[in-house]
Amino acid sequence: MVDMDKIVSLSKRRGFIFQSSEIYGGLGSAWDYGPLGVELKNNVKRLWWRDNVHLRDDMVGLDAAITMHPKVWEASGHLASFSDPFTGCAECGRHYREDHLWSAITESKWFTSLHAAVANAQDLAKDLRKWVQKDGGKLARNLKLVKDTDNTLAAAHGFYPDLVNNVKQESVHLDSRKLLRLITGNVSGRACPNCGSAQLSDPRPASLMLETSLGPVQETAIKIYLRPETAQGIFVNFDNVLQASRKKLPFGIAQIGKAFRNEITPGNFTFRTREFEQMEIEFFCLPGTDEEWHRKWIDERFQWYQRYGIRRENIRQRKHEPDELAHYAKGCVDIEYLFPMGWSELEGIANRTDYDLKQHSQFSGKALEYFDEETKQKIVPYVIEPSAGADRSTLAFLVDAYHEEEVRGEKRVVLKLHPELAPIKIAVLPLLKKNDQIVETAKKLTADLRKRWYAVYDDTASIGRLYRRQDEVGTPFCVTVDVQTVGDEKAPADDKVTIRDRDTMEQVRVSLSALESTMQKLMDGKWAEVAQDHGIWQG
Ligand code: GAP
C-alpha cells in the first residue's frame, strides 16, 4: 500500500490538492483542490450523478441550502446526540476522540519505539532503561518511568520472557495494551499519544455541529448550524419533490453538497476534514421492502467503486454492531477501503426506517406521508440511505491508482485512473516544437479534440519527459504529432499521429481522419480492438 506522504506530495506537486491558506501557515484540516484535483473530484461527482440519477428512472435530484431552520436539527436528533466522546491531556493540552485513542497510541512515535525496544530486548530491564534514556526525560516522566523506574522495570522483568514473546507475536493490539499497562503501571492503559502522560480527562461528548449566526446585527442574529449531513435537506423537501415529480414508491432523491462537522481529530489528508462534500441518496420504499432495498443498494454501491477502478482486494463491506448504530438507524453496512492508514469507511449504507420523516412531521406539524394507491392508505415510507463522501472517494481513487514502476532502469510514477475519472483525457504533444507545421497541427488537433474531451497541448519538455508528466497525472492517452504527420522535403505527409496508452505504453498510428472515432473506442476501453486494426509497437 502506498504511503500517504507520497499522495500528499504528488497532489501538491502536480496541482491536485493544496493546503488551505498555505501562505498564512495553513488552516488545519482544510484543503483546496487545484487545477487537476477539481477535474478529478468533478468527475467523481459527475459519474455518481450520472449512474445514480440519470441512468435510473426511480431517482431525481435536489440541491438544498446549506443553512436550514434550526428546528431541523432538533427534529433530526443532531442537537441532542450528534457528538463524539473526546478526552483531553492535562499535560500537553491535546484532544483526542476517545474511540480513536488506542489506535493513536499505537501509531505514536513513543509507543512504536517502546514496542520495538521490548520486541527486540535481549535483557528487558537493560533495554528498557536504554529506551527511557534515549526517548527523553519528559516522556519517561509522563509515563511515570523516572520516579519509579526500578519498580516498573522489576515488575516488567517478572513477566519476562512472557511479555517479550507476546509482543513478538502478531497480536500486536492486545499485547500492546498489556505492554502499556505493565510498563507504565497505568491500569486503564490510557496515555496521551503525543506526550505519553496518563493524565487524560474522562471522556465527554463533544458536539460536532458547527455553529454560525445569521443576520447582520449581533443582537438580532439567530444561531444556526452549518449542516452536518446533506440528508436533512432531502427529508424536509420530501413532500415538495413528491408533489412536483409525481414519483411512485419506491423512488429516491439524490444530492451532492457540502457538509460541516467540528471533528475532534481531523486528519489523514482529506480523509477526515471539518468541511467536506457528501453524495447522498435517500431512497424511499414501502415498509417491509426496506431490507431487500438495503441489500440492493449495498451491492450497487459496492460495484460502483470497482466499476471505476478500485481493486477488489482493497474494498470490503462491514456490518455495524448494534452499539455502533447511529440514533436513527436500524442497520448499517459500511463500504471500507484499505487507505494507507488501514481499513476505513468510504461510504455508509443505512436503513434509516421512517425515523426522519416522522420526526419532521412531528416537529413541523406538516404530514410527510405517501398515499399508497393499492391499499388506499397513507403511509410513512422507510428510507435506505447510501451516503458517500466525494472527498473520500476522490482520495480512494487517487490512492488506488497510484503505481510506481521501473521502466528501462528508471522509476515511473503512474496514476492508473479510469479514463472517465482522469482529469485530462488526452495530451497532444509535438515531437519538435521548432517545427511550425507540427506545432500548428498539434494545436489545431487539441482544439478539435477539446470539443469532446478535456485535451491539453504541451511542448514544454522533451517527449520522454512529457510522457512521464502525463503518466503522473493519469492522462490515459497521449497523441504525438511528428515529421511524418506533416511531411518534409524527403517524404510527403502521411496525415497520421501516434497514440500512446498510459498503462501499457503501447503505441498505435492512426490517420487524422479516424482519430476521433478511434479515441472514442479507446475511452470505451477497446485498446485491443484498436491495436488489432492498426498494429502496435512499444514506446
Ligand atoms: N447522512 C449519513 C451520514 O452523514 P456518515 O457516515 O456520518 O453518514 C457519510 O457520513 C460519508 O460522508 C462517510 O462515509 C464519508 O465518506 C463522508 N464523511 C463523513 N465525515 C467526514 C469528514 N469529516 N471528512 C470527510 N468525509 C466525511
Side-chain angles (χ1 to χ4, degrees):
M1 183 45 69
V2 55
D3 210 74
M4 191 70 101
D5 289 346
K6 289 192 174 174
I7 301 292
V8 177
S9 147
L10 173 81
S11 295
K12 163 138 199 214
R13 197 169 66 247
R14 303 311 313 271
F16 281 93
I17 301 170
F18 306 126
Q19 169 79 70
S20 160
S21 327
E22 196 183 333
I23 59 168
Y24 288 101
L27 177 69
S29 102
W31 300 95
D32 300 339
Y33 287 81
L36 296 184
V38 67
E39 297 294 335
L40 175 61
K41 188 171 159 190
N42 277 346
N43 288 341
V44 171
K45 292 190 284 183
R46 182 181 52 80
L47 291 172
W48 183 91
W49 194 266
R50 185 187 71 186
D51 294 349
N52 290 299
V53 182
H54 291 175
L55 294 183
R56 298 179 63 115
D57 56 17
D58 56 359
M59 292 284 302
V60 289
L62 182 77
D63 186 8
I66 288 173
T67 50
M68 301 177 76
H69 195 289
K71 274 224 152 184
V72 168
W73 308 111
E74 263 179 67
S76 68
H78 280 83
L79 279 186
S81 60
F82 194 55
S83 60
D84 279 332
F86 88 105
T87 180
C89 174
E91 187 76 32
C92 70
R94 298 271 178 109
H95 290 106
Y96 305 95
R97 253 176 80 165
E98 180 67 21
D99 51 340
H100 290 175
L101 184 64
W102 183 245
S103 57
I105 291 172
T106 52
E107 283 160 19
S108 70
K109 276 204 184 110
W110 66 258
F111 190 79
T112 40
S113 70
L114 169 64
H115 195 271
V118 175
N120 300 324
Q122 299 302 322
D123 176 337
L124 188 67
K126 213 166 109 205
D127 290 343
L128 280 182
R129 199 183 288 279
K130 248 198 264 161
W131 175 81
V132 168
Q133 283 158 0
K134 183 167 165 274
D135 281 280
K138 182 146 188 241
L139 176 63
R141 211 168 35 249
N142 289 340
L143 283 163
K144 303 216 180 329
L145 278 168
V146 168
K147 216 168 112 208
D148 230 4
T149 307
D150 289 332
N151 283 343
T152 40
L153 293 187
H157 203 251
F159 287 87
Y160 189 70
D162 209 29
L163 171 66
V164 176
N165 287 339
N166 282 344
V167 172
K168 278 180 177 157
Q169 278 170 12
E170 282 308 289
S171 52
V172 174
H173 195 84
L174 184 80
D175 293 326
S176 297
R177 249 187 214 281
K178 189 173 166 188
L179 171 69
L180 185 62
R181 285 200 195 107
L182 279 172
I183 304 295
T184 63
N186 172 357
V187 185
S188 68
R190 291 165 86 244
C192 173
N194 179 46
C195 70
S197 167
Q199 290 186 56
L200 291 178
S201 63
D202 286 339
R204 333 189 235 124
S207 172
L208 296 176
M209 302 289 281
L210 225 111
E211 287 177 22
T212 186
S213 57
L214 211 60
V217 188
Q218 186 121 43
E219 295 74 49
T220 53
I222 57 160
K223 183 163 93 176
I224 58 153
Y225 301 92
L226 300 181
R227 65 182 178 196
E229 59 172 11
T230 62
Q232 298 304 324
I234 298 181
F235 294 126
V236 300
N237 275 296
F238 171 74
D239 198 55
N240 284 336
V241 175
L242 187 66
Q243 298 309 327
S245 66
R246 315 304 306 170
K247 283 278 175 203
K248 300 270 176 265
L249 286 188
F251 77 95
I253 305 177
Q255 174 166 221
I256 297 177
K258 289 266 183 178
F260 301 82
R261 293 182 191 175
N262 227 341
E263 297 281 1
I264 300 160
T265 45
N268 285 317
F269 198 24
T270 55
F271 177 81
R272 192 181 308 284
T273 51
R274 296 195 171 106
E275 172 183 344
F276 55 97
E277 236 172 326
Q278 288 189 314
M279 309 186 289
E280 293 201 295
I281 293 167
E282 305 304 325
F283 193 81
F284 302 94
C285 60
L286 285 170
T289 63
D290 51 311
E291 309 253 327
E292 186 192 333
W293 277 109
H294 195 195
R295 193 66 251 163
K296 278 189 188 161
W297 275 109
I298 295 165
D299 292 345
E300 166 56 30
R301 296 299 306 144
F302 195 56
Q303 293 309 323
W304 188 81
Y305 292 100
Q306 293 172 68
R307 200 176 304 152
Y308 297 108
I310 297 283
R311 281 164 287 170
R312 176 63 189 86
E313 64 269 27
N314 292 339
I315 191 169
R316 71 179 187 192
Q317 299 177 14
R318 190 183 68 81
K319 192 167 181 247
H320 279 213
E321 297 298 333
D323 62 352
E324 279 182 87
L325 289 173
H327 61 276
Y328 48 73
K330 166 179 162 188
C332 186
V333 168
D334 280 349
I335 295 180
E336 294 188 332
Y337 178 70
L338 187 54
F339 284 99
M341 65 285 185
W343 287 102
S344 312
E345 178 186 338
L346 185 55
E347 168 162 355
I349 301 150
N351 182 341
R352 286 184 86 128
T353 69
D354 53 6
Y355 176 85
D356 301 271
L357 290 181
K358 279 192 170 156
Q359 286 291 105
H360 287 303
S361 294
Q362 190 192 326
F363 277 73
S364 68
K366 159 110 183 142
L368 297 175
E369 294 168 333
Y370 174 85
F371 183 72
D372 186 12
E373 300 284 356
E374 220 165 278
T375 58
K376 304 286 177 220
Q377 275 184 349
K378 284 185 180 166
I379 56 145
V380 181
Y382 264 45
V383 176
I384 304 303
E385 178 195 62
S387 174
D391 307 271
R392 252 182 225 185
S393 304
T394 303
L395 181 61
F397 284 121
L398 254 182
V399 168
D400 219 86
Y402 186 95
H403 287 77
E404 283 177 10
E405 294 174 352
E406 188 144 322
V407 179
R408 293 184 213 106
E410 266 183 49
K411 189 177 99 175
R412 163 174 107 124
V413 172
V414 53
L415 282 186
K416 296 189 176 176
L417 287 166
H418 189 287
E420 295 239 47
L421 284 173
I424 300 167
K425 312 293 184 208
I426 305 164
V428 183
L429 314 173
L431 196 68
L432 296 173
K433 73 170 178 181
K434 289 198 176 123
N435 181 319
D436 291 343
Q437 247 187 312
I438 291 181
V439 169
E440 205 179 298
T441 308
K443 285 189 173 167
K444 181 172 178 317
L445 214 54
T446 314
D448 289 345
L449 289 167
R450 262 188 195 155
K451 290 174 193 151
R452 291 189 61 183
W453 300 284
Y454 183 29
V456 297
Y457 169 87
D458 193 1
D459 65 6
T460 55
S462 66
I463 193 77
R465 292 272 303 271
L466 293 177
Y467 281 153
R468 292 288 175 270
R469 249 188 234 167
Q470 295 300 331
D471 290 345
E472 214 185 14
V473 300
T475 306
F477 304 107
C478 288
V479 171
T480 306
V481 181
D482 55 26
V483 178
Q484 288 101 298
T485 316
V486 295
D488 61 5
E489 62 282 356
K490 290 186 212 133
D494 70 357
D495 289 325
K496 286 183 173 178
V497 285
T498 302
I499 306 174
R500 172 188 180 266
D501 176 66
R502 173 197 66 200
D503 298 346
T504 60
M505 293 182 288
E506 288 172 350
Q507 302 187 1
V508 290
R509 200 159 170 85
V510 300
S511 65
L512 286 169
S513 57
L515 185 61
E516 203 173 311
S517 58
T518 307
M519 270 301 161
Q520 185 56 60
K521 280 190 191 164
L522 295 182
M523 295 292 170
D524 293 341
K526 296 180 182 158
W527 178 265
E529 192 184 307
V530 170
Q532 201 171 12
D533 290 349
H534 300 273
I536 53 165
W537 74 87
Q538 199 71 32

